[in-house]
């Protein structure tokens, strides 16, 4: 067994997420921590890309609010949910 396979197995997160690809519209729920307060923030937009594999995978979401465009970069195993 290769060393990287052992590391991947140890760091693997067992969360199940819906399958999505670039062009899909998704809502990402993630935790915001401000001082001693925590809240759940939603970020809804179009997936631009998915990069990486297993526990290093990230994805980019573009959100448009009127004429303002913002992008969110999310690590796949660390957010709360995707819908």
């Amino acid at each position: 067994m290769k060393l990287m396979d052992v590391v991947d197995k140890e760091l693997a997160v067992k969360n199940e997420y819906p399958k999505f690809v670039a062009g899909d519209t998704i809502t990402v729920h993630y935790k915001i921590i401000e001082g001693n307060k925590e809240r759940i923030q939603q970020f809804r937009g179009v997936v631009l890309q998915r990069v990486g594999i297993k526990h290093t995978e990230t994805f980019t979401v573009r959100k448009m609010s009127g004429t303002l465009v913002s992008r969110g970069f999310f690590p796949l195993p660390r957010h709360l949910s995707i819908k």
Side-chain angles (χ1 to χ4, degrees):
M1 187 177 253
K2 294 181 181 179
L3 179 59
M4 286 307 295
D5 292 336
V6 173
V7 171
D8 285 343
K9 185 185 273 187
E10 289 296 318
L11 296 176
V13 176
K14 303 292 190 255
N15 294 340
E16 292 294 323
Y17 302 108
K19 295 186 188 302
F20 61 93
V21 295
D24 289 347
T25 300
I26 64 172
T27 302
V28 180
H29 300 258
Y30 59 99
K31 187 183 297 186
I32 301 289
I33 300 172
E34 297 172 331
N36 58 358
K37 296 181 190 177
E38 291 184 5
R39 63 185 170 93
I40 304 297
Q41 179 76 40
Q42 295 181 6
F43 194 91
R44 182 176 175 83
V46 177
V47 177
L48 295 179
Q49 68 176 353
R50 252 178 115 159
V51 181
I53 57 170
K54 297 183 183 177
H55 65 276
T56 62
E57 187 170 4
T58 62
F59 60 99
T60 305
V61 179
R62 180 182 63 208
K63 171 180 161 179
M64 295 187 69
S65 299
T67 59
L68 182 67
V69 177
S70 60
R71 292 186 179 163
F73 300 92
F74 301 97
L76 190 59
R78 299 208 50 205
H79 53 76
L80 296 175
S81 68
I82 298 175
K83 295 182 181 179

